[in-house]
Amino acid sequence: MDRDSNKTLLLELQRAAGTGNSRCADCGMPDPEWASYKLGIFICLNCSGIHRNLPQISKVKSLRLDFWENDVIEFMKKHGNLCAKAKYEAKVPPYYYIPQFCDCLVLKEQWIRAKYEREEFVATRVCQDPCSAGSREGFLWKRGRENRHFRKRRFLLSAREGVMKYYTKEFGGPKAIISIENLNAMFQTDKIQHAHGLQITYNTDGQRRNLFVYHESGKEIVDWFNAIRAARYHYLRTTFPNVPEPELIPRITRNYAKEGYMEKTGPKQKEPFKVRWFCLDSQERNLMYFKKPLDAFAQGQVLIGTMDEGYEVRAGVPQGVRVKKKPAITVVTPVREFVFICENEREQREWIDALNGVIAQP
């Protein structure tokens, strides 16, 4: 069979219904144009780069650019993404975070290594109890609230006790005791400017507190993230035993619906506009704003209710308000109107869409 015929056959195989090949086997990216011909799976360009670093496990080729031997194509026909999923994802715990194509590199890399290199989820493995999986102790580099330097701190997570603690001194009590009930964790590699950066948030004294941490090891920081998820899953499963699992899983941890800089003015809408970092938490229905992205506490927040309660987001500003020649949005609440200036029209559209998404939630 000639080169062009082989390419056509591979592309047909990638698009074949009932094979799972039309999306990347590891991150779900549509229309993958690479494959691991050792594992028999179709993968995207980004995941193929990770597979290249596992030469003992995986070998990759481009569907369009590389030459494919007939016997290798036959191997791909007999395998495929659903076949690999049945083998390598047989026992993925419900709390384990399965990354998507929009997620950071460390999550995707450790997911791929966990599946194919360490074979953590094959059928012969014993599933770990969420309570024991949600218990962990070790050191993370934590950013100081005042001096803003990262220092090594000991962290202890206990699903059984329902808490996470961290210590600033070798001896003595914990600096903070964090309830798993309102604990959240999300990867923030760009914001923290570290490939393994993790943001941990929790409630303390009526405020939302941010901790920014990382670990030199990608495996270690992803293990911490999934341990937090296991502890949260154990808490939710115990507290809400009758809630169906598909409803619990999205509430284990969450990312912000949208983050970025906007300018805001005061309640009279005559005060000077000031640049602030905004985070929209769709689950808590809060639009929080910070002086800087890595601040421990928000300067303020706007509750986002439903349309029936009088909440609305509009492009532009209220009549009589003068702003720079930049795109703006107005968030209407029963109490007042909040005016924000966006960096550009794309940001304006994204903020409007994200806020409307929250307003539309019951």
Side-chain angles (χ1 to χ4, degrees):
M1 197 177 291
D2 63 32
R3 190 184 183 100
D4 289 339
S5 298
N6 277 356
K7 282 184 184 177
T8 302
L9 191 58
L10 279 165
L11 290 170
E12 287 175 358
L13 189 57
Q14 184 249 59
R15 297 169 188 143
T19 62
N21 297 340
S22 62
R23 288 185 173 271
C24 173
D26 296 322
C27 74
M29 170 78 83
D31 303 318
E33 295 200 349
W34 290 76
S36 167
Y37 60 91
K38 198 168 181 179
L39 294 168
I41 56 174
F42 291 81
I43 53 178
C44 69
L45 175 63
N46 289 334
C47 288
S48 76
I50 300 169
H51 278 261
R52 284 186 190 277
N53 293 324
L54 306 171
Q56 304 301 318
I57 309 293
S58 183
K59 293 192 181 294
V60 300
K61 281 188 178 187
S62 166
L63 303 187
R64 296 181 183 274
L65 304 176
D66 291 321
F67 174 74
W68 285 76
E69 298 83 356
N70 292 340
D71 60 330
V72 179
I73 293 176
E74 287 301 314
F75 179 80
M76 296 298 296
K77 278 185 187 178
K78 292 175 183 175
H79 292 78
N81 290 6
L82 286 185
C83 180
K85 186 182 180 72
K87 176 181 177 180
Y88 293 105
E89 298 181 33
K91 286 192 173 180
V92 181
Y95 56 80
Y96 195 98
Y97 184 79
I98 299 177
Q100 302 301 301
F101 56 85
C102 55
D103 282 310
C104 60
L105 180 63
V106 68
L107 272 171
K108 289 187 278 190
E109 180 182 4
Q110 291 307 314
W111 166 239
I112 289 168
R113 287 185 179 275
K115 277 205 294 183
Y116 308 117
E117 188 177 55
R118 300 191 293 270
E119 295 191 351
E120 292 182 10
F121 314 121
V122 295
T124 53
R125 285 290 181 106
V126 177
C127 288
Q128 198 172 6
D129 173 62
C131 193
S132 61
S135 298
R136 191 170 187 84
E137 185 173 3
F139 288 89
L140 297 171
W141 290 90
K142 176 193 164 293
R143 188 176 188 269
R145 178 183 165 188
E146 303 299 335
N147 61 25
R148 299 174 184 176
H149 297 303
F150 282 90
R151 299 188 185 280
K152 215 170 197 178
R153 299 296 186 224
R154 184 166 68 93
F155 281 76
L156 190 151
L157 174 69
S158 173
R160 195 173 302 282
E161 295 178 31
V163 296
M164 184 177 192
K165 307 173 187 177
Y166 77 88
Y167 300 78
T168 56
K169 296 177 181 177
E170 188 175 352
F171 303 103
K175 175 72 173 176
I177 301 175
I178 303 162
S179 171
I180 287 172
E181 178 183 357
N182 55 58
L183 178 65
N184 187 44
M186 67 188 90
F187 275 90
Q188 293 278 21
T189 57
D190 291 337
K191 192 157 82 170
I192 298 174
Q193 295 187 325
H194 193 285
H196 305 158
L198 189 70
Q199 179 175 344
I200 296 169
T201 66
Y202 63 96
N203 293 343
T204 176
D205 299 326
Q207 290 181 286
R208 198 72 180 160
R209 168 80 156 99
N210 296 325
L211 299 179
F212 301 99
V213 301
Y214 72 85
H215 196 281
E216 297 92 337
S217 162
K219 180 181 184 303
E220 189 72 15
I221 198 67
V222 172
D223 284 350
W224 268 103
F225 177 60
N226 280 306
I228 290 170
R229 286 181 58 85
R232 283 277 303 156
Y233 176 77
H234 174 73
Y235 162 76
L236 291 168
R237 187 79 284 167
T238 306
T239 310
F240 308 104
N242 297 321
V243 175
E245 194 154 278
E247 292 180 29
L248 285 184
I249 300 299
R251 303 188 74 85
I252 297 176
T253 58
R254 63 193 182 277
N255 294 330
Y256 290 134
K258 170 77 178 161
E259 285 188 276
Y261 285 110
M262 289 193 290
E263 297 177 47
K264 72 173 290 294
T265 185
K268 295 180 181 178
Q269 299 172 353
K270 298 181 187 290
E271 299 87 344
F273 279 83
K274 295 180 180 179
V275 177
R276 294 292 181 259
W277 179 265
F278 286 80
C279 301
L280 178 61
D281 186 336
S282 59
Q283 189 167 300
E284 296 291 331
R285 309 189 74 103
N286 270 342
L287 178 64
M288 300 168 284
Y289 54 91
F290 302 79
K291 195 169 184 180
K292 294 181 180 178
L294 298 184
D295 283 351
F297 293 100
Q299 286 195 319
Q301 60 185 15
V302 181
L303 174 68
I304 308 296
T306 65
M307 192 175 291
D308 292 341
E309 294 169 328
Y311 289 83
E312 185 185 353
V313 57
R314 303 170 182 158
V317 298
Q319 193 171 3
V321 177
R322 293 186 178 182
V323 300
K324 307 171 188 177
K325 290 185 177 179
K326 275 190 173 184
I329 61 174
T330 300
V331 177
V332 180
T333 77
V335 179
R336 57 171 277 205
E337 294 179 340
F338 294 85
V339 180
F340 307 116
I341 298 176
C342 304
E343 292 185 301
N344 51 54
E345 289 183 0
R346 179 179 62 81
E347 283 288 304
Q348 179 196 42
R349 288 194 302 273
E350 288 181 3
W351 276 112
I352 289 173
D353 289 345
L355 287 160
N356 274 330
V358 178
I359 290 169
Q361 288 178 185

